[in-house]
Every structure is written in C-alpha cells, then in structure tokens.
Amino acid sequence: MFDTLSSRLETVFKSLRGRGRLSEADIDATAREIRVALLEADVALPVVRAFVAAIKERARGVEVSQALNPAQQVIKIVNEELIGILGGQTANIRLAKTPPTVILLAGLQGTGKTTLAGKLGMWLKKQGHTPMLVAADLQRPNAVNQLQVVGARAGVEVFAPEPGNGIGDPVAVARDAIAHARRNVFDVVVVDTAGRLGVDQELMEQAADIRDAVKPDEILFVVDAMVGQDAVSTAMAFLDGVGFSGVVLTKLDGDARGGAALSVAHVTGRPIMFASTGEALGDFDVFHPERMASRILG
Ligand code: GDP
C-alpha cells in the first residue's frame, strides 16, 4: 500500500546521508522533498502542511549529536511526526461498565463493513468476549444474509430480523438486538448499518437514529484505503452526521497510494483503531501507529 511513499522518503533520506550539520537551505530542500513525497502518496493537504511545518521546526532545533548524524536525526523526526499523524498510541475499544458494550459500524457501501463485523467478532472472541453481530443494514436485500454467512464463518452469533417481514425498521432491530444480548449474556454487540455509494442525508439520519436508540460505546467509521482523497471528505461528513470515536482502515492490502486514509486520523482527531488487510476473516489486526510508521519508513 505505501510503497510509493516509502521509496520517495528513502530517496530523501539518502540525499542527506554523509552530511555534516544541516544548513537552513538543506532543511528547506528536505522539507520540500518530503512535501512532494506526501502529496504524491495522496496525503491530504492540511496534513501535509502540518507535517512539513513540524519537520522544519524540529530539524532547525536539532543539536549536533554524537549518536545520530543529521540524516538519522531527520529520520527520527519524520518517524515521530508520522506516528503522531497516525494517532500516536494504539487505541483500545472502550468497554461498557455494564455489558453489553455496543459497537456501531458506519461507512459507505462496499468499504468492507459487513466483512469487518465478522472480523471484529472473531477477534473479540479471541480476546475472551462473547460477541453478537446485528444485521441492521436492511437497505440492501442481501445484506442480512451476507452478515449471517460471515457470522457463521466467524463462529459468531448473528441477530437478524425475521425473514418475510418486509423491509423492516433497522432502529427497532438494533434495539431488540441489545435486549436480546442482555438476556443471553452476549457482552459485546457489533451493529452493522446500511451504507450508500455516496454520502446521503437519509443514510446519515438512519445511522444517527440507530445511534440514539442503542447508545454505542464506540462508533467505528470504516474507510476503504483504496478510495483516495474522498476518504477525507467522507470522514468529515460522517463525523458531522453521525459522529464516530474511531476509524477502521480496510483494504490496506491494495496497491493504491493510501495517503488519504492515513490522513483521516489527523483530520478528524479520531484514532485509527483497526486495520483490515484482506478478504479472509483473519486478515485483521489492531492498528499500531508505531509499526505502521516503521513500515512506511522501511
Ligand atoms: P460493505 O458493503 O461495507 O458491507 O462491504 P463488504 O463487507 O460487503 O465488502 C465489500 C467487498 O470488499 C467484499 O468483496 C469484501 O470481500 C471486500 N473486502 C472487505 N475488506 C477487505 C480487505 O481488507 N481487503 C480486500 N482486498 N478486500 C476486502
């Protein structure tokens, strides 16, 4: 995913190798190259600006060190700033004091929400929880069935509306699901919601109604890393319309440049909590900003 960015940054660092103290002109030139590298990787402009300003500022203040030469010091600064952009620390799911913990998934159609519900369910089981998935996406005819298939593969219970009851009310389904979870001692409930191909008012209102009905402990915004710059505007629209507490990046296994998805944490101020890296249920993990930064810096 981040090959372009990695190789561009590597070139920037190579040009600094073997240098003595960095002059003001060296720092400016390096900052410019880093700016181009980030823009080419599709990182959103406000993030690029903040990043480059921080690098410049810190590079100027660098003391000549015995242990690190200027190139190494710049790499260290870029690494630390990159970790900051990616949210700093690894974020954990906030568990409800009184179970069940409710996690609401929101995002556009095709981002991998339903697949994520299964992945999250399987992951929660591994953590010792007793999760339950809820099919509150009643917009697409096949969505309920798809969640049931994913749940069966993950070995996780799925709460779904009775078939043949017409389109149904996703808010009622979600509410019933929480009551069912409470009665049957499921301690984490993952609610899959409907997505559209683009941001739309009705979808936002439906997700907000479900939110108000189930009072989630976490709302995870699911973003497809392949979508490019739209990731940022879609994230802002969801933040405004539904609100969310964390981000899940999906399709990190793709070969897109990925910078836009990386920008989402910084732009929305919400941490990236999980990353999805393939179609299989096991292709999923907690997101570690430090590991991601090291991967990008090679
Ligand atoms: P939803 O519409 O948001 O519920 O999205 P789905 O869960 O139906 O996923 C849409 C497509 O993306 C499916 O074909 C999934 O198999 C695929 N998908 C989901 N997550 C990933 C991922 O991390 N990597 C890849 N390559 N494909 C994924």
Side-chain angles (χ1 to χ4, degrees):
M1 170 66 66
F2 303 109
D3 296 352
T4 328
L5 184 56
S6 293
S7 65
R8 289 290 313 223
L9 287 175
E10 199 186 330
T11 313
V12 177
F13 299 145
K14 237 184 221 158
S15 69
L16 290 174
R17 231 173 259 160
R19 293 283 188 85
R21 200 186 168 87
L22 295 182
S23 68
E24 192 74 19
D26 289 333
I27 293 171
D28 282 349
T30 305
R32 256 199 313 276
E33 285 173 46
I34 291 175
R35 181 186 158 85
V36 172
L38 295 172
L39 287 173
E40 273 191 2
D42 224 11
V43 176
L45 196 54
V47 181
V48 174
R49 285 205 185 111
F51 194 92
V52 171
I55 305 271
K56 263 183 159 173
E57 167 94 28
R58 290 186 58 189
R60 276 195 198 111
V62 153
E63 295 290 325
V64 179
S65 139
Q66 297 281 313
L68 298 176
N69 62 40
Q72 289 166 327
Q73 287 185 342
V74 171
I75 294 175
K76 181 168 175 281
I77 294 170
V78 170
N79 183 47
E80 286 167 6
E81 290 298 323
L82 204 48
I83 293 170
I85 293 284
L86 295 172
Q89 292 170 342
T90 304
N92 291 317
I93 290 270
R94 217 175 355 208
L95 293 172
K97 281 200 195 82
T98 319
T101 296
V102 179
I103 303 172
L104 191 66
L105 305 183
L108 295 182
Q109 186 178 314
T111 50
K113 259 190 286 84
T114 306
T115 312
L116 170 69
K119 290 177 172 185
L120 201 51
M122 207 164 88
W123 180 84
L124 285 162
K125 244 174 89 168
K126 272 200 203 125
Q127 308 291 310
H129 292 288
T130 315
M132 185 183 91
L133 312 182
V134 182
D137 175 358
L138 308 184
Q139 220 74 34
R140 270 188 310 139
N142 199 34
V144 173
N145 180 252
Q146 197 194 335
L147 189 70
Q148 281 166 326
V149 170
V150 165
R153 265 171 48 211
V156 176
E157 174 98 355
V158 175
F159 184 93
E162 294 294 321
N165 279 354
I167 287 182
D169 174 8
V171 177
V173 169
R175 202 182 282 125
D176 291 351
I178 307 298
H180 179 83
R182 208 164 271 137
R183 278 196 305 274
N184 294 277
V185 213
F186 290 102
D187 71 340
V188 186
V189 178
V190 178
V191 184
D192 187 20
T193 63
R196 294 278 164 81
L197 288 175
V199 171
D200 99 5
Q201 198 55 32
E202 201 190 326
L203 154 80
M204 287 293 174
E205 281 167 16
Q206 186 184 88
D209 287 346
I210 296 176
R211 174 200 64 203
D212 294 345
V214 303
K215 308 216 171 6
D217 299 282
E218 296 279 4
I219 303 178
L220 301 182
F221 171 66
V222 186
V223 61
D224 174 343
M226 308 277 282
V227 301
Q229 286 294 319
D230 278 355
V232 173
S233 53
T234 308
M236 291 313 289
F238 272 86
L239 190 64
D240 192 39
V242 191
F244 54 84
S245 51
V247 178
V248 181
L249 297 184
T250 61
K251 310 194 191 177
L252 277 182
D253 51 314
D255 58 4
R257 292 167 293 172
L262 292 187
S263 313
V264 168
H266 183 82
V267 171
T268 64
R270 303 292 185 272
I272 302 171
M273 298 181 99
F274 296 99
S276 178
T277 51
E279 296 194 73
L281 290 177
D283 297 334
F284 174 77
D285 206 352
V286 170
F287 184 81
H288 298 289
E290 277 179 42
R291 282 188 215 163
M292 182 54 85
S294 322
R295 225 184 87 193
I296 292 171
L297 294 183

